Amino acid sequence: MIINGSPTDDNAHLVNQGIHEVLDPLFSSKARVLVAEQWTPGWDPTKAQNEMEQILTKAANRVDGVVSANDGMAGGIIAALKAQKMAGRVKTTGQDASLEG
């Protein structure tokens, strides 16, 4: 799944474009499946956590990896995964090179 940054931030759209340039061929070939894609207002980690919780519920926890548009949101995503005892098996990425990330 993909959790994007703020839909009102041009940078979020550029990051999304880069993500799709790499992953769309995998989705098209069925090598990977896009479970969900979400935009996160304000790049807010708490909102990203809430989005992740909702997606996990809808997908019955069938998620193998998450691409996050930044490290802060990845922290929220990982919190949601930890609550489901999935953090160790679901690969999660972020960007920004923050100390936490």
Side-chain angles (χ1 to χ4, degrees):
M1 64 177 286
I2 299 169
I3 296 194
N4 296 297
S6 182
T8 59
D9 185 335
D10 289 337
N11 290 317
H13 291 276
L14 294 172
V15 170
N16 176 265
Q17 181 181 350
I19 290 168
H20 278 282
E21 284 177 10
V22 172
L23 295 180
D24 282 352
L26 296 171
F27 299 148
S28 294
S29 71
K30 307 289 189 224
R32 297 289 182 267
V33 175
L34 180 58
V35 173
E37 182 167 7
Q38 185 73 37
W39 290 86
T40 308
W43 302 80
D44 186 313
T46 302
K47 289 178 184 172
Q49 179 176 349
N50 188 4
E51 292 162 356
M52 186 66 191
E53 290 166 351
Q54 292 174 12
I55 292 166
L56 287 171
T57 298
K58 288 179 186 176
N61 288 350
R62 290 187 307 256
V63 174
D64 294 322
V66 183
V67 177
S68 172
N70 79 4
D71 287 350
M73 293 188 321
I77 292 162
I78 291 168
L81 291 168
K82 283 181 179 178
Q84 296 297 316
K85 299 182 179 13
M86 297 173 64
R89 71 170 180 86
V90 177
K91 306 299 182 221
T92 306
T93 67
Q95 71 167 7
D96 292 335
S98 69
L99 183 57
E100 296 81 13

